[in-house]
Amino acid sequence: MGSIIEAEKPVTGWAARDSTGLLSPYAYTLRKTGAEDVVIKVLYCGICHTDLHQARNDLGMSKYPMVPGHEVVGEVVEVGAEVRRFLVGDRVGSGAIVGCCGECRPCRDEVEQYCNKKIWSYNDVYFDGKPTQGGFASAMVVHQKFLVKIPSGLALEQAGPLLCAGVTVYSPLKHFGLTTAGLRGGILGLGGVGHMGVKFAKALGHHVTVISSSDRKRAEAVDHLGADAYLVSSDEAAMAAAADTFDYIIDTVPVHHPLEPYLALLKLDGKLVLMGVINQPLQFLTPMIMLGRKSITGSFIGSMKETEEMLAFCVEKGLSSTIEVVKMEYVNEAFKRLERNDVRYRFVIDVAGSNLDASGGAELH
């Protein structure tokens, strides 16, 4: 089968060294290819809000040096002896998880993202005791279980964000039975996850309202993404008029915010699905839930099975993520823009087209 990458597998990634989150070139080695491992040459990698949180230690668990990136699209360049699902040359995707215990109920039920022993694609420790590093790098080694084939109907640069933002929305819509045409849904926040929420919900035949804190994205939501309505959360009259009208709300906001205004929008048995990673407690008054038999629930990315289904759904419905492609040298500026929500709607790094050894103005450590 041949190997393009030597056994030591030296690679260059862009790593954060401390909580400033500043990324710069970092040389390291990948583990030797195991029997069920696949070596991929990274072609593209999306930038998720979680990458920013982790690089800056916003969640208090960051280990450095850290190579972020968990929306990875690449080409198979080597396969282990027991790999049957992939061949050299295949186009594949890797998401947020690269390992699980394989024995617990979530693993047995093929929802491995809920395994308590799951291994993150970066900022974690693999079975061999070495740190995992992500897709802001020239190559990765991934167990075959945690790879999916990218369908031929999807452009490679489009596929990366689907592996996180896309499946993050697809999974709860499917799991909670929110796939019936005619449902009325709200998408709170119009970022990387939110914009995919609008696209998926519209493709399922839902009436979709984008809920935002300002009027700034109205034209974008309605004219570009096809939302049916736009609701500004600070407009009390409009919020009151929309009370008890939503079957569900997908809450993608990754910063602290009140829940009561949105709980009031839900119908009887309505669901508020939390998606944003927030490091502060959220609050609500229990009658807001009790008097409408409403649910506050959460959902975390999606399983490998759901990821495959979601990619097929995107091909079937002609869906893709809305992206801005940048080179790795621009990644620190991209982080700054992501922090101010200045991106439509996901940055994707053209890793293979970047000079990974160039500092791009970043200070080398």
Side-chain angles (χ1 to χ4, degrees), residues 47-70:
I47 303 178
C48 175
H49 221 107
T50 304
D51 297 325
L52 182 62
H53 281 315
Q54 293 281 28
R56 295 186 178 175
N57 198 26
D58 290 341
L59 304 177
M61 299 178 292
S62 297
K63 306 176 188 73
Y64 302 100
M66 176 201 302
V67 178
H70 61 263

Side-chain angles (χ1 to χ4, degrees), residues 13 30 35 184 192 208 271 298 318 322 358 365:
L30 299 176
R184 298 180 72 88
V208 181
K271 289 181 171 59
T322 302
H365 297 272

Side-chain angles (χ1 to χ4, degrees), residues 30 43 60 69 76 125 142 174-175 179 201 215 218 275 309 322:
L30 299 176
L43 301 178
V76 175
V125 178
V142 184
K174 182 178 181 188
H175 176 75
T179 56
D215 212 44
R218 181 184 295 271
M275 298 273 169
E309 290 177 9
T322 302

Side-chain angles (χ1 to χ4, degrees), residues 169-179 204 305-306 309:
V169 172
Y170 179 88
S171 179
L173 288 172
K174 182 178 181 188
H175 176 75
F176 294 117
L178 303 172
T179 56
L204 290 167
K305 187 175 179 181
E306 287 172 328
E309 290 177 9

